[in-house]
Structures are given as C-alpha cells and as structure tokens.
Amino acid sequence: MILVTGGAGFIGGNFVLDWLADLDNEGIINLDKLTYAGNLETLESLRGDPRHIFVHGDIGDKELVSKLLKEYQPRAIVNFAAESHVDRSIHGPAEFIATNIVGTFNLLESAREYWSGLDDSARRAFRFHHVSTDEVYGSLSAGDPAFTETSTFEPNSPYSASKAASDHLVRAWFHTYGFPVVTTNCSNNYGPYHFPEKLIPLVILNAINRKPLPIYGDGQQIRDWLYVGDHCSAIREVLAKGALGETYNIGGWNEKTNMDVVKTICSILDELKPRSDGKSYSEQITFVKDRPGHDRRYAIDASKVEKKLGWRPAETFDTGIRKTVQWYLDNPNWIDGVVSGAYRDWLSKQYK
Ligand code: NAD
Ligand code: DAU
C-alpha cells in the first residue's frame, strides 16, 4: 500500500485516479479531512474498489495516522494535504499554519516513528514524498531566470510562507534523522476536478454562467501552467527514482499572462459553446481589485527532473486547456456538487 494525504482534493484526487488506473500499482489509503476543497465525488468511480481505502481524518491527528501506518504498513507516503488557496490565506491564515505547518510536522513525526520500527529492507525502501509549490521561491521580474532548486526561498503570502515552512521541516527531518524524504516544487496546475475558486475553473464556470471574468490588477502577472496529469506523472517518477533528500522542480515550460489564459479560455468556449447572442465570452472580462502582495511572475526551470529522471510534460498548454474546458462542459454534475452554499459565500466575500 501507499498512503496518500489530501487525495480528495484537486491534485491528490487526480493522482489517486491515475495511480489506480494502472492495475499493477498497489492500493491506496487515502487520508483526507474533507475541508471545503475535498470532494468525494471526484473519487466516485472508485466506489467499491478494494484497492482504495478512504479515511476521513486530519494529517495532524497523530493517533489516527499512527494507527493507519501500523495497520496498513505502507511503503510510502505522498503528502498532498494542505490549505492551497492564496486568497483564502490572506483572509484567514490560521488554517494554513495549522495544516501546512503543524499538520506536516505531526505527519512527519508519526511517519518517522513508524519508519524507525521497520525492518532494514522496509526502512531502506520507505519514502516520504512532500508535494510543494514554486511559490516558496517568491516572485520574479520580467527578465529573471526561472526558479531552480537552489533559488532562495522568499515566500510572500501566508500560503507560500506556510508551504516554505513545511518544506524546511521535511528537509530537516532528512538531515537530522536520516528520514527518507523527497520534495517536489511544482508550478500552477490545471485540469479536471479543479475547485472553481482558482483562476482557470472560475473563469470557465463564470463564462458559461454569463458572469464577469475577474482579472486582478492589470492581468499581466505570469504563471507557468502544467496539466495536472503531468504533475501526477512527475510525482510517480520522483517517488520511484528520486534521490533521497533531493528536491525537484516540476513545471510545464508554459509561461502565460493571466490575461492570455483568460482570452484563450474565451476563444475555446466561443468555438465549443458559442454565446446565444453571437458575442465573444471575452466581453465578460472585468478588471477587479488586485490581490494584496500579488506575486508578479513564477517560472520553473524543470531541467533537473528531465536530466536526472527523464521526465517531461506530455501536454502543451494548447492541448491541456482544450481538454480542461471540454471536461467542465461535460461534467455539470461534479460542478453542481461543489457549487455549495459555502462556495457562494466565498465568492461574495472575495468579489464583493
Ligand atoms: P486542494 O485544496 O484542491 O486539496 C487539498 C486537499 O487536502 C483537500 O482534499 C482537503 O480536504 C485536504 N486537506 C486539507 N487539510 C487537511 C488536513 N489537515 N488533513 C487531511 N487532509 C486535508 O489542493 P491542490 O490544489 O490539490 O494541492 C495539493 C497539494 O499540491 C498542496 O500541498 C499544494 O500546496 C500543492 N500544489 C498545488 C498546486 C496547484 O496549482 N494547485 C501547485 C503546486 C503545488
Ligand atoms: O504556483 C503554484 C500555486 O498555484 C499553488 O501552490 C497554489 O496552491 C495554487 O492555488 C496556485 O496559486 P495562484 O495564486 O497562482 O493560483 P490562482 O488560480 O489563485 O491564481 C492564478 C493567477 O490568476 C494569479 O496571478 C491570481 C490571478 N487571479 C486569480 C483569481 C482567482 C485573477 O486574476 N482573478 C481571479 O479571480
């Protein structure tokens, strides 16, 4: 077995589905707190599959995690669980400190205790894979080189500061205790099952619901977009072949301004689901107040993972974004499930 945390969220859910689609892979214990971002409907196709054991719980609950480790004896832990939305971290950082820092600390301690008690060969085989973000490196200016694994940590938001802290804990557990960790720092993901508080799914859903498409500030901020299936394949490679204690940057080689991303979505929708009045969805673009402390540019240099492990993304932005828009058009039931009262409260707080 492997233990996946946060496997009812966007990337964790995609990872669980992709992993179990390969019948040669072992089963998964999926530990998720089911916050607003966790959604069991993402895992609906696994209902009744004995290779998927879902456990509702918190990574910070040492008693529960220790019990799961003892019972299932996983050979690896992949830690996706986190509070992940920058804007929410600005409105209320406490949950980010609790899960991303204290939760990761407790998970590391439970896992270290379990690992210490394994026999020699199981100890050598064990891996703790920490899933992190490029935001720990801070913000780039236009001409700066992309982030490498040796770029300085300069986190700017409560979210990125909490992720940077967790990365430091993971690093220290390797250096101090010899605990077998690998860390991946990835750029912006997009794809199926993405919660519609984030730019790409929010824009797709607002567009088809004839709502404004909110662009923060001047819309010239740059992100490096990676299709979620590619992130999952990178994690599988690093988990299988990554060197202990190392970090690997994962990115799509796809830098885009937010405005370009939104215009691309509008033109795909113009083609796939034209507005009844014949106008373009881009008419719905609206400039709104900027995010406080908004990072200007992220860019990932993913050459280490390519050179050392042979991983490169399979999707370009053009292929990935088209698939993604089509997925949202084809899956109204999943969308109806997540667009709850709590989601509507968030939208009115953020875009009032
Ligand atoms: P998400 O918000 O969609 O999902 C997070 C999941 O973690 C949810 O299912 C939630 O219920 C669960 N969770 C939250 N707190 C928990 C706790 N205390 N115990 C157990 N489960 C808990 O996030 P995501 O976008 O899928 O991101 C997954 C991971 O990847 C995060 O660590 C994030 O920092 C990292 N990451 C995300 C991106 C991105 O573009 N989304 C990019 C790079 C790295
Ligand atoms: O870089 C990796 C990170 O990418 C992950 O670590 C985070 O978990 C993930 O949420 C994402 O963070 P961003 O802040 O970059 O993603 P978000 O989708 O929130 O915003 C993308 C860009 O779009 C950002 O510059 C802010 C802007 N934006 C966002 C929203 C929600 C808008 O202009 N309007 C919006 O309504």
Side-chain angles (χ1 to χ4, degrees), residues 83-87 132-135 159 163 186-189 194 197-203 214-217 219 221-225 258 288 291 294-295 298 350-351:
E83 289 293 332
S84 70
H85 189 33
V86 174
D87 293 319
S132 192
T133 170
D134 60 0
E135 299 200 12
Y159 163 68
K163 289 297 291 188
C186 188
S187 62
N188 285 62
N189 285 216
H194 203 181
E197 64 188 350
K198 309 279 170 67
L199 179 71
I200 287 181
L202 180 85
V203 164
I215 304 265
Y216 296 166
Q221 302 81 8
I222 291 173
R223 298 291 182 266
D224 170 2
W225 293 97
N258 293 339
V288 299
R291 171 185 282 175
H294 198 169
D295 284 339
Y298 304 140
Q350 173 68 3
Y351 299 100

CSV table of all heavy atoms in Angstrom, one decimal, residues 83-87 132-135 159 163 186-189 194 197-203 214-217 219 221-225 258 288 291 294-295 298 350-351, ligand 2:
chain,number,residue,atom,x,y,z
A,83,GLU,N,-3.9,23.4,3.0
A,83,GLU,CA,-4.7,24.5,2.5
A,83,GLU,C,-4.0,25.1,1.4
A,83,GLU,O,-2.8,25.4,1.5
A,83,GLU,CB,-4.9,25.6,3.6
A,83,GLU,CG,-5.8,25.1,4.8
A,83,GLU,CD,-7.2,24.9,4.4
A,83,GLU,OE1,-7.7,25.6,3.5
A,83,GLU,OE2,-7.9,24.1,5.0
A,84,SER,N,-4.7,25.4,0.2
A,84,SER,CA,-3.9,25.7,-1.0
A,84,SER,C,-4.2,27.0,-1.7
A,84,SER,O,-3.6,27.3,-2.7
A,84,SER,CB,-4.2,24.5,-2.0
A,84,SER,OG,-5.5,24.6,-2.5
A,85,HIS,N,-5.2,27.7,-1.2
A,85,HIS,CA,-5.6,28.9,-2.0
A,85,HIS,C,-5.1,30.2,-1.4
A,85,HIS,O,-5.4,30.6,-0.3
A,85,HIS,CB,-7.2,29.0,-2.0
A,85,HIS,CG,-7.7,30.0,-3.0
A,85,HIS,ND1,-7.0,30.3,-4.2
A,85,HIS,CD2,-8.8,30.8,-2.9
A,85,HIS,CE1,-7.7,31.3,-4.8
A,85,HIS,NE2,-8.8,31.6,-4.1
A,86,VAL,N,-4.3,30.9,-2.2
A,86,VAL,CA,-3.6,32.1,-1.7
A,86,VAL,C,-4.6,33.2,-1.2
A,86,VAL,O,-4.4,33.8,-0.1
A,86,VAL,CB,-2.8,32.7,-2.9
A,86,VAL,CG1,-2.2,34.1,-2.5
A,86,VAL,CG2,-1.7,31.8,-3.3
A,87,ASP,N,-5.7,33.4,-1.9
A,87,ASP,CA,-6.6,34.4,-1.5
A,87,ASP,C,-7.2,34.1,-0.1
A,87,ASP,O,-7.4,35.0,0.7
A,87,ASP,CB,-7.7,34.6,-2.5
A,87,ASP,CG,-7.2,35.2,-3.8
A,87,ASP,OD1,-6.4,36.1,-3.7
A,87,ASP,OD2,-7.6,34.8,-4.9
A,132,SER,N,5.1,20.1,-2.9
A,132,SER,CA,5.1,21.6,-2.6
A,132,SER,C,5.0,22.4,-3.9
A,132,SER,O,4.7,21.9,-5.0
A,132,SER,CB,6.3,21.9,-1.8
A,132,SER,OG,6.2,23.2,-1.3
A,133,THR,N,5.2,23.7,-3.7
A,133,THR,CA,4.9,24.7,-4.7
A,133,THR,C,6.1,25.5,-5.1
A,133,THR,O,7.0,25.7,-4.3
A,133,THR,CB,3.8,25.6,-4.2
A,133,THR,OG1,3.6,26.6,-5.1
A,133,THR,CG2,4.1,26.1,-2.8
A,134,ASP,N,6.0,26.1,-6.3
A,134,ASP,CA,7.0,27.1,-6.8
A,134,ASP,C,6.9,28.4,-6.0
A,134,ASP,O,7.8,29.2,-6.0
A,134,ASP,CB,7.0,27.3,-8.3
A,134,ASP,CG,5.7,27.8,-8.8
A,134,ASP,OD1,4.7,28.0,-8.0
A,134,ASP,OD2,5.6,28.1,-10.0
A,135,GLU,N,5.8,28.6,-5.3
A,135,GLU,CA,5.5,29.9,-4.7
A,135,GLU,C,6.5,30.1,-3.5
A,135,GLU,O,6.7,31.3,-3.1
A,135,GLU,CB,4.1,30.0,-4.2
A,135,GLU,CG,3.1,29.9,-5.3
A,135,GLU,CD,1.7,30.5,-5.0
A,135,GLU,OE1,1.6,31.2,-4.0
A,135,GLU,OE2,0.8,30.3,-5.8
A,159,TYR,N,0.1,31.7,2.5
A,159,TYR,CA,0.1,30.3,2.0
A,159,TYR,C,1.5,29.9,1.6
A,159,TYR,O,2.0,28.9,2.1
A,159,TYR,CB,-0.8,30.3,0.7
A,159,TYR,CG,-0.5,29.1,-0.2
A,159,TYR,CD1,-0.8,27.8,0.2
A,159,TYR,CD2,0.2,29.2,-1.4
A,159,TYR,CE1,-0.5,26.7,-0.5
A,159,TYR,CE2,0.5,28.1,-2.2
A,159,TYR,CZ,0.1,26.8,-1.8
A,159,TYR,OH,0.4,25.7,-2.5
A,163,LYS,N,3.9,26.9,3.2
A,163,LYS,CA,4.4,25.8,2.5
A,163,LYS,C,6.0,25.8,2.6
A,163,LYS,O,6.6,24.7,2.7
A,163,LYS,CB,4.0,25.9,1.0
A,163,LYS,CG,2.6,25.6,0.7
A,163,LYS,CD,2.1,24.2,1.0
A,163,LYS,CE,2.7,23.1,0.1
A,163,LYS,NZ,2.1,21.8,0.3
A,186,CYS,N,6.2,22.4,-7.5
A,186,CYS,CA,5.6,22.5,-8.8
A,186,CYS,C,4.9,23.8,-9.1
A,186,CYS,O,4.5,24.6,-8.2
A,186,CYS,CB,4.5,21.4,-8.9
A,186,CYS,SG,3.8,21.2,-10.5
A,187,SER,N,4.8,24.1,-10.4
A,187,SER,CA,4.1,25.3,-10.8
A,187,SER,C,2.6,25.2,-10.8
A,187,SER,O,2.1,24.1,-10.4
A,187,SER,CB,4.6,25.7,-12.2
A,187,SER,OG,4.3,24.7,-13.1
A,188,ASN,N,1.9,26.1,-11.4
A,188,ASN,CA,0.4,26.1,-11.4
A,188,ASN,C,-0.2,25.0,-12.2
A,188,ASN,O,0.1,24.8,-13.3
A,188,ASN,CB,-0.2,27.4,-12.0
A,188,ASN,CG,0.0,28.6,-11.1
A,188,ASN,OD1,1.1,29.0,-10.7
A,188,ASN,ND2,-1.1,29.2,-10.7
A,189,ASN,N,-1.0,24.2,-11.5
A,189,ASN,CA,-1.7,23.1,-12.2
A,189,ASN,C,-3.1,23.5,-12.7
A,189,ASN,O,-3.7,24.4,-12.1
A,189,ASN,CB,-2.0,21.9,-11.2
A,189,ASN,CG,-0.7,21.1,-10.9
A,189,ASN,OD1,-0.8,19.9,-10.7
A,189,ASN,ND2,0.4,21.8,-10.8
A,194,HIS,N,-10.7,20.6,-10.7
A,194,HIS,CA,-10.1,21.8,-10.1
A,194,HIS,C,-11.2,22.6,-9.4
A,194,HIS,O,-12.1,23.0,-10.1
A,194,HIS,CB,-9.4,22.6,-11.2
A,194,HIS,CG,-8.3,23.4,-10.7
A,194,HIS,ND1,-7.5,24.2,-11.5
A,194,HIS,CD2,-7.7,23.7,-9.4
A,194,HIS,CE1,-6.6,24.9,-10.9
A,194,HIS,NE2,-6.7,24.6,-9.6
A,197,GLU,N,-12.5,28.0,-7.2
A,197,GLU,CA,-12.1,29.3,-6.6
A,197,GLU,C,-10.8,29.7,-7.3
A,197,GLU,O,-10.4,30.9,-7.2
A,197,GLU,CB,-11.8,29.0,-5.1
A,197,GLU,CG,-10.6,28.1,-4.9
A,197,GLU,CD,-10.4,27.6,-3.5
A,197,GLU,OE1,-11.0,28.2,-2.6
A,197,GLU,OE2,-9.6,26.7,-3.3
A,198,LYS,N,-10.1,28.8,-8.1
A,198,LYS,CA,-8.9,29.1,-8.7
A,198,LYS,C,-9.1,29.7,-10.1
A,198,LYS,O,-10.2,29.4,-10.7
A,198,LYS,CB,-8.0,27.9,-8.8
A,198,LYS,CG,-7.8,27.1,-7.5
A,198,LYS,CD,-6.8,27.7,-6.6
A,198,LYS,CE,-6.7,27.2,-5.2
A,198,LYS,NZ,-6.3,25.8,-5.0
A,199,LEU,N,-8.2,30.4,-10.7
A,199,LEU,CA,-8.4,31.2,-11.9
A,199,LEU,C,-9.1,30.4,-13.0
A,199,LEU,O,-10.2,30.8,-13.5
A,199,LEU,CB,-7.1,31.8,-12.4
A,199,LEU,CG,-7.3,32.7,-13.7
A,199,LEU,CD1,-8.1,33.9,-13.4
A,199,LEU,CD2,-6.0,33.0,-14.3
A,200,ILE,N,-8.5,29.3,-13.4
A,200,ILE,CA,-9.0,28.6,-14.7
A,200,ILE,C,-10.4,28.1,-14.5
A,200,ILE,O,-11.3,28.4,-15.3
A,200,ILE,CB,-7.9,27.6,-15.2
A,200,ILE,CG1,-6.8,28.4,-15.8
A,200,ILE,CG2,-8.6,26.6,-16.2
A,200,ILE,CD1,-5.6,27.5,-16.4
A,201,PRO,N,-10.7,27.3,-13.5
A,201,PRO,CA,-12.1,26.8,-13.4
A,201,PRO,C,-13.1,27.9,-13.1
A,201,PRO,O,-14.2,27.8,-13.6
A,201,PRO,CB,-12.0,25.7,-12.3
A,201,PRO,CG,-10.8,26.0,-11.5
A,201,PRO,CD,-9.8,26.6,-12.5
A,202,LEU,N,-12.6,28.9,-12.4
A,202,LEU,CA,-13.6,30.0,-12.1
A,202,LEU,C,-14.0,30.7,-13.3
A,202,LEU,O,-15.2,31.0,-13.6
A,202,LEU,CB,-12.9,31.0,-11.1
A,202,LEU,CG,-13.7,32.2,-10.7
A,202,LEU,CD1,-14.6,31.9,-9.5
A,202,LEU,CD2,-12.8,33.4,-10.4
A,203,VAL,N,-13.0,30.9,-14.2
A,203,VAL,CA,-13.3,31.6,-15.5
A,203,VAL,C,-14.2,30.8,-16.4
A,203,VAL,O,-15.1,31.3,-17.0
A,203,VAL,CB,-11.9,32.1,-16.2
A,203,VAL,CG1,-12.2,32.4,-17.6
A,203,VAL,CG2,-11.3,33.2,-15.4
A,214,PRO,N,-13.3,37.8,-13.5
A,214,PRO,CA,-12.5,38.8,-12.8
A,214,PRO,C,-11.0,38.7,-13.0
A,214,PRO,O,-10.4,37.6,-12.7
A,214,PRO,CB,-12.9,38.5,-11.3
A,214,PRO,CG,-13.3,37.0,-11.3
A,214,PRO,CD,-13.8,36.7,-12.7
A,215,ILE,N,-10.4,39.8,-13.4
A,215,ILE,CA,-8.9,39.8,-13.6
A,215,ILE,C,-8.4,40.8,-12.5
A,215,ILE,O,-8.7,41.9,-12.5
A,215,ILE,CB,-8.6,40.5,-15.0
A,215,ILE,CG1,-9.3,39.7,-16.1
A,215,ILE,CG2,-7.1,40.6,-15.2
A,215,ILE,CD1,-8.4,38.6,-16.7
A,216,TYR,N,-7.5,40.2,-11.7
A,216,TYR,CA,-6.9,41.0,-10.7
A,216,TYR,C,-5.8,42.0,-11.3
A,216,TYR,O,-5.0,41.6,-12.1
A,216,TYR,CB,-6.1,40.2,-9.7
A,216,TYR,CG,-6.9,39.2,-8.8
A,216,TYR,CD1,-6.2,38.2,-8.1
A,216,TYR,CD2,-8.3,39.3,-8.8
A,216,TYR,CE1,-6.9,37.3,-7.4
A,216,TYR,CE2,-9.0,38.3,-8.0
A,216,TYR,CZ,-8.3,37.3,-7.3
A,216,TYR,OH,-9.0,36.4,-6.5
A,217,GLY,N,-5.9,43.3,-10.8
A,217,GLY,CA,-4.9,44.3,-11.3
A,217,GLY,C,-4.9,44.4,-12.8
A,217,GLY,O,-6.0,44.5,-13.4
A,219,GLY,N,-3.7,42.2,-15.0
A,219,GLY,CA,-3.8,40.9,-15.7
A,219,GLY,C,-2.5,40.5,-16.4
A,219,GLY,O,-2.5,39.5,-17.1
A,221,GLN,N,0.2,39.5,-14.8
A,221,GLN,CA,1.0,38.6,-13.9
A,221,GLN,C,1.2,37.3,-14.7
A,221,GLN,O,0.3,36.9,-15.5
A,221,GLN,CB,0.3,38.2,-12.6
A,221,GLN,CG,0.0,39.4,-11.8
A,221,GLN,CD,-1.3,40.2,-12.2
A,221,GLN,OE1,-2.0,39.7,-13.1
A,221,GLN,NE2,-1.5,41.3,-11.6
A,222,ILE,N,2.4,36.6,-14.5
A,222,ILE,CA,2.7,35.4,-15.3
A,222,ILE,C,2.8,34.2,-14.4
A,222,ILE,O,3.3,34.3,-13.2
A,222,ILE,CB,4.1,35.7,-16.0
A,222,ILE,CG1,3.9,36.7,-17.1
A,222,ILE,CG2,4.6,34.4,-16.6
A,222,ILE,CD1,5.2,37.2,-17.7
A,223,ARG,N,2.2,33.1,-14.8
A,223,ARG,CA,2.3,31.8,-14.1
A,223,ARG,C,2.8,30.8,-15.2
A,223,ARG,O,2.6,31.0,-16.4
A,223,ARG,CB,0.9,31.4,-13.6
A,223,ARG,CG,0.3,32.4,-12.5
A,223,ARG,CD,1.1,32.3,-11.3
A,223,ARG,NE,0.6,33.1,-10.2
A,223,ARG,CZ,1.0,34.4,-9.9
A,223,ARG,NH1,1.9,34.9,-10.7
A,223,ARG,NH2,0.6,35.0,-8.9
A,224,ASP,N,3.3,29.7,-14.7
A,224,ASP,CA,3.8,28.6,-15.5
A,224,ASP,C,2.9,27.5,-15.4
A,224,ASP,O,2.8,26.9,-14.3
A,224,ASP,CB,5.2,28.3,-15.1
A,224,ASP,CG,5.8,27.0,-15.7
A,224,ASP,OD1,5.1,26.4,-16.6
A,224,ASP,OD2,6.9,26.6,-15.4
A,225,TRP,N,2.0,27.2,-16.4
A,225,TRP,CA,0.9,26.3,-16.2
A,225,TRP,C,1.3,24.8,-16.6
A,225,TRP,O,1.9,24.6,-17.7
A,225,TRP,CB,-0.3,26.7,-17.1
A,225,TRP,CG,-0.8,28.0,-16.5
A,225,TRP,CD1,-0.6,29.3,-17.0
A,225,TRP,CD2,-1.7,28.2,-15.4
A,225,TRP,NE1,-1.2,30.2,-16.2
A,225,TRP,CE2,-2.0,29.6,-15.3
A,225,TRP,CE3,-2.4,27.3,-14.5
A,225,TRP,CZ2,-2.8,30.1,-14.3
A,225,TRP,CZ3,-3.2,27.8,-13.6
A,225,TRP,CH2,-3.4,29.2,-13.4
A,258,ASN,N,-2.0,36.1,-17.1
A,258,ASN,CA,-3.3,35.8,-16.7
A,258,ASN,C,-4.3,36.2,-17.8
A,258,ASN,O,-5.2,35.5,-18.2
A,258,ASN,CB,-3.7,36.4,-15.4
A,258,ASN,CG,-2.9,35.9,-14.3
A,258,ASN,OD1,-2.4,34.8,-14.3
A,258,ASN,ND2,-2.8,36.6,-13.2
A,288,VAL,N,-10.7,43.7,-11.6
A,288,VAL,CA,-11.1,43.9,-10.2
A,288,VAL,C,-9.9,44.3,-9.4
A,288,VAL,O,-8.7,44.2,-9.9
A,288,VAL,CB,-11.8,42.7,-9.6
A,288,VAL,CG1,-13.1,42.4,-10.4
A,288,VAL,CG2,-10.9,41.5,-9.6
A,291,ARG,N,-4.9,41.4,-5.9
A,291,ARG,CA,-4.6,40.6,-4.7
A,291,ARG,C,-3.5,41.3,-3.9
A,291,ARG,O,-2.5,41.7,-4.5
A,291,ARG,CB,-4.1,39.2,-5.2
A,291,ARG,CG,-3.6,38.3,-4.1
A,291,ARG,CD,-3.0,37.1,-4.7
A,291,ARG,NE,-4.0,36.1,-5.1
A,291,ARG,CZ,-3.8,34.9,-5.7
A,291,ARG,NH1,-2.6,34.6,-6.1
A,291,ARG,NH2,-4.8,34.1,-6.0
A,294,HIS,N,0.5,40.6,-4.5
A,294,HIS,CA,0.4,39.7,-5.6
A,294,HIS,C,1.7,39.4,-6.3
A,294,HIS,O,2.4,40.4,-6.8
A,294,HIS,CB,-0.6,40.4,-6.7
A,294,HIS,CG,-1.1,39.4,-7.7
A,294,HIS,ND1,-2.1,39.8,-8.5
A,294,HIS,CD2,-0.8,38.1,-8.0
A,294,HIS,CE1,-2.4,38.8,-9.3
A,294,HIS,NE2,-1.6,37.8,-9.0
A,295,ASP,N,2.2,38.2,-6.3
A,295,ASP,CA,3.4,37.9,-7.0
A,295,ASP,C,3.3,38.1,-8.5
A,295,ASP,O,2.3,37.7,-9.1
A,295,ASP,CB,3.8,36.4,-6.7
A,295,ASP,CG,4.3,36.1,-5.3
A,295,ASP,OD1,4.8,37.1,-4.7
A,295,ASP,OD2,4.3,35.0,-4.9
A,298,TYR,N,5.9,33.8,-11.9
A,298,TYR,CA,6.6,32.5,-11.5
A,298,TYR,C,7.1,31.8,-12.8
A,298,TYR,O,6.4,31.8,-13.8
A,298,TYR,CB,5.6,31.5,-10.8
A,298,TYR,CG,4.9,32.0,-9.6
A,298,TYR,CD1,3.6,31.6,-9.4
A,298,TYR,CD2,5.5,32.8,-8.6
A,298,TYR,CE1,2.9,32.0,-8.3
A,298,TYR,CE2,4.8,33.2,-7.5
A,298,TYR,CZ,3.5,32.8,-7.3
A,298,TYR,OH,2.8,33.2,-6.2
A,350,GLN,N,-15.0,37.5,-1.5
A,350,GLN,CA,-13.8,37.8,-2.3
A,350,GLN,C,-14.1,38.8,-3.4
A,350,GLN,O,-13.3,39.7,-3.6
A,350,GLN,CB,-13.3,36.5,-2.9
A,350,GLN,CG,-12.1,36.7,-3.9
A,350,GLN,CD,-10.8,37.2,-3.2
A,350,GLN,OE1,-10.8,37.3,-2.0
A,350,GLN,NE2,-9.8,37.4,-4.0
A,351,TYR,N,-15.3,38.8,-4.0
A,351,TYR,CA,-15.5,39.6,-5.2
A,351,TYR,C,-16.6,40.7,-4.9
A,351,TYR,O,-17.3,41.1,-5.8
A,351,TYR,CB,-15.9,38.8,-6.4
A,351,TYR,CG,-14.8,37.8,-6.8
A,351,TYR,CD1,-14.9,36.5,-6.4
A,351,TYR,CD2,-13.7,38.2,-7.5
A,351,TYR,CE1,-13.9,35.6,-6.7
A,351,TYR,CE2,-12.6,37.3,-7.8
A,351,TYR,CZ,-12.8,36.0,-7.4
A,351,TYR,OH,-11.8,35.1,-7.8
B,2,DAU,O1,2.3,28.3,-8.4
B,2,DAU,C1,1.6,27.2,-7.7
B,2,DAU,C2,0.4,27.6,-7.0
B,2,DAU,O2,-0.6,27.9,-8.0
B,2,DAU,C3,-0.1,26.6,-6.0
B,2,DAU,O3,0.9,26.4,-5.0
B,2,DAU,C4,-1.4,27.1,-5.3
B,2,DAU,O4,-1.9,26.1,-4.5
B,2,DAU,C5,-2.4,27.4,-6.5
B,2,DAU,O5,-3.6,27.9,-5.9
B,2,DAU,C6,-1.8,28.4,-7.5
B,2,DAU,O6,-1.7,29.7,-6.9
B,2,DAU,P1,-2.1,31.0,-7.7
B,2,DAU,O7,-2.3,32.1,-6.7
B,2,DAU,O8,-1.1,31.3,-8.8
B,2,DAU,O9,-3.4,30.5,-8.4
B,2,DAU,P2,-4.8,31.2,-8.7
B,2,DAU,O10,-5.6,30.3,-9.6
B,2,DAU,O11,-5.5,31.6,-7.4
B,2,DAU,O12,-4.4,32.5,-9.5
B,2,DAU,C7,-3.7,32.4,-10.7
B,2,DAU,C8,-3.4,33.8,-11.1
B,2,DAU,O13,-4.7,34.5,-11.5
B,2,DAU,C9,-2.9,34.7,-10.0
B,2,DAU,O14,-2.0,35.6,-10.6
B,2,DAU,C10,-4.1,35.5,-9.5
B,2,DAU,C11,-5.0,35.6,-10.7
B,2,DAU,N1,-6.4,35.6,-10.5
B,2,DAU,C12,-7.0,34.6,-9.7
B,2,DAU,C13,-8.3,34.6,-9.4
B,2,DAU,C14,-8.9,33.6,-8.5
B,2,DAU,C15,-7.2,36.6,-11.1
B,2,DAU,O15,-6.7,37.5,-11.8
B,2,DAU,N2,-8.6,36.6,-10.8
B,2,DAU,C16,-9.2,35.6,-10.0
B,2,DAU,O16,-10.4,35.7,-9.8
